[in-house]
């Protein structure tokens, strides 16, 4: 087995995650500056841990070498969270049009959910970065979900961690039913999205109102990283690896 200098090997992936987070947050901020609805609610990202890379490579029978990132594909991972289902397709179309990345794999789990009930849209992209040795193109995985899909997936990942990947059948069934309920809610909110968007615009316009100090209590600082909440490696990598294994079988 080839000995890897992981600090050096992972540097481009760390750079890619940081660059893409900034770019995607800037898209969100531009929509907000224009005072129109942003299809991007917030963005998180992470670089896969070395232990998780080894575990996944072993499970999927991939050799550990310089090509491992193209086998695993999600060493660099980003997650885009949207308010509405329609926002997902909007974001996907935006990413397809970008010149700074090239999509080489798409998986639509929104309209074709997994047996577990999971929904989301996954893109694997080729992303070029500049290093001291010149340009290097690396794979990055981008997951796009609604708030509801992300909440469900976070809970499901927690249960995967608790039960070490073997969730009791009765809880599995309840998870599937809750995923259906969450998707029904997403669809209902999607039907009234115009009213919701108008309400949010009006909410923003009232920043100078006397209740502004109260509103600030519940406002989120969307520039604060939330990887600890949405990319807790101990909770999610077990499930991600299991899903990847199923896809290769």
């Amino acid at each position: 087995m080839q000995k890897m200098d992981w600090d050096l090997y992972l540097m481009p992936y760390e750079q890619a995650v940081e660059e893409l987070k900034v770019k995607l947050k800037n898209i969100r901020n531009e929509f907000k500056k224009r005072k129109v609805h942003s299809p991007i609610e917030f963005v998180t990202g992470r670089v896969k841990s070395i232990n998780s890379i080894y575990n996944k490579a072993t499970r999927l029978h991939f050799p550990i070498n310089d090509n491992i990132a193209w086998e695993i594909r999600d060493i660099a991972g980003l997650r885009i969270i949207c308010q509405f289902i329609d926002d997902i397709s909007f974001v996907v179309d935006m990413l397809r049009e970008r010149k700074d990345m090239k999509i080489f794999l798409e998986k639509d789990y929104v309209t074709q959910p997994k047996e577990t009930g999971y929904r989301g849209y996954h893109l694997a992209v080729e992303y070029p970065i500049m290093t001291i040795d010149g340009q290097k193109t690396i794979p990055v995985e981008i997951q796009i979900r609604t708030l509801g899909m992300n909440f469900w997936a976070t809970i499901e990942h927690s249960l995967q961690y608790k039960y070490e990947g073997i969730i009791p059948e009765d809880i599995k069934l309840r998870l599937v039913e809750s995923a259906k309920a969450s998707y029904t809610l997403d669809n209902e909110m999607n039907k009234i999205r115009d009213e919701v968007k108008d309400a949010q615009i009006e909410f923003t316009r009232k920043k100078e109102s006397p209740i502004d100090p109260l509103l600030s209590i519940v406002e989120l600082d969307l520039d604060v990283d939330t990887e600890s909440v949405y990319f807790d490696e101990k909770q999610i990598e077990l499930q991600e690896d299991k899903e990847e294994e199923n896809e290769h079988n």
Side-chain angles (χ1 to χ4, degrees):
M1 182 181 293
Q2 176 181 339
K3 183 176 176 57
M4 301 283 289
D5 183 342
W6 286 109
D7 286 341
L8 186 60
Y9 186 81
L10 293 178
M11 280 187 67
Y13 300 90
E14 294 167 353
Q15 179 179 333
V17 167
E18 292 307 311
E19 285 185 9
L20 285 169
K21 281 167 60 179
V22 170
K23 290 179 178 181
L24 293 168
K25 288 178 180 180
N26 281 343
I27 292 174
R28 181 202 68 208
N29 292 337
E30 183 176 350
F31 276 103
K32 292 185 179 296
K33 291 292 185 182
R34 292 173 181 262
K35 300 189 185 305
V36 295
H37 170 73
S38 171
I40 298 176
E41 184 71 5
F42 62 87
V43 181
T44 62
R46 64 96 180 95
V47 174
K48 211 169 188 64
S49 68
I50 297 172
N51 284 341
S52 182
I53 293 171
Y54 271 103
N55 290 338
K56 189 167 186 177
T58 300
R59 190 175 296 108
L60 300 177
H61 307 292
F62 293 143
I64 298 292
N65 55 36
D66 286 341
N67 197 50
I68 188 60
W70 291 98
E71 299 286 2
I72 293 178
R73 295 198 302 268
D74 69 340
I75 286 182
L78 285 101
R79 187 166 296 158
I80 300 173
I81 307 302
C82 308
Q83 284 191 345
F84 304 105
I85 292 176
D86 284 354
D87 289 338
I88 294 178
S89 58
F90 191 95
V91 170
V92 171
D93 286 341
M94 280 200 309
L95 296 179
R96 287 178 181 146
E97 294 298 318
R98 291 187 68 91
K99 304 302 182 184
D100 57 347
M101 65 179 70
K102 179 181 178 181
I103 298 172
F104 67 89
L105 182 64
E106 296 189 31
K107 295 181 180 180
D108 181 3
Y109 299 121
V110 176
T111 59
Q112 301 175 37
K114 296 184 179 182
E115 291 183 2
T116 60
Y118 171 83
R119 292 182 191 265
Y121 204 101
H122 293 193
L123 301 173
V125 306
E126 297 175 355
Y127 182 71
I129 62 168
M130 293 304 300
T131 72
I132 60 174
D133 296 319
Q135 181 172 292
K136 177 181 178 67
T137 300
I138 62 173
V140 177
E141 183 182 75
I142 302 175
Q143 299 178 356
I144 311 168
R145 302 171 179 169
T146 63
L147 290 161
M149 293 171 190
N150 195 61
F151 173 72
W152 182 92
T154 302
I155 298 301
E156 198 260 359
H157 291 155
S158 299
L159 291 172
Q160 287 284 353
Y161 180 64
K162 175 182 179 181
Y163 291 106
E164 298 181 346
I166 307 175
I167 298 178
E169 287 301 318
D170 63 322
I171 296 181
K172 280 185 180 180
L173 291 174
R174 293 171 73 177
L175 279 170
V176 171
E177 291 304 312
S178 65
K180 293 177 181 178
S182 177
Y183 190 58
T184 298
L185 176 60
D186 268 339
N187 275 301
E188 289 301 315
M189 296 302 294
N190 204 59
K191 291 175 184 178
I192 61 170
R193 63 186 182 279
D194 290 338
E195 286 77 8
V196 174
K197 292 175 184 177
D198 289 343
Q200 290 172 338
I201 292 172
E202 186 64 23
F203 179 88
T204 302
R205 288 174 179 168
K206 292 182 177 179
K207 285 292 184 179
E208 302 301 322
S209 71
I211 63 170
D212 184 54
L214 293 178
L215 297 179
S216 65
I217 295 176
V218 296
E219 288 178 347
L220 293 175
D221 181 357
L222 295 178
D223 289 320
V224 174
D225 289 336
T226 53
E227 284 85 344
S228 61
V229 177
Y230 295 98
F231 275 88
D232 186 335
E233 290 181 350
K234 290 183 179 179
Q235 291 191 17
I236 74 171
E237 288 186 352
L238 174 63
Q239 175 66 3
E240 289 179 345
D241 293 351
K242 183 179 178 182
E243 292 170 356
E244 190 77 16
E245 183 177 2
N246 291 338
E247 290 165 9
H248 280 79
N249 289 336

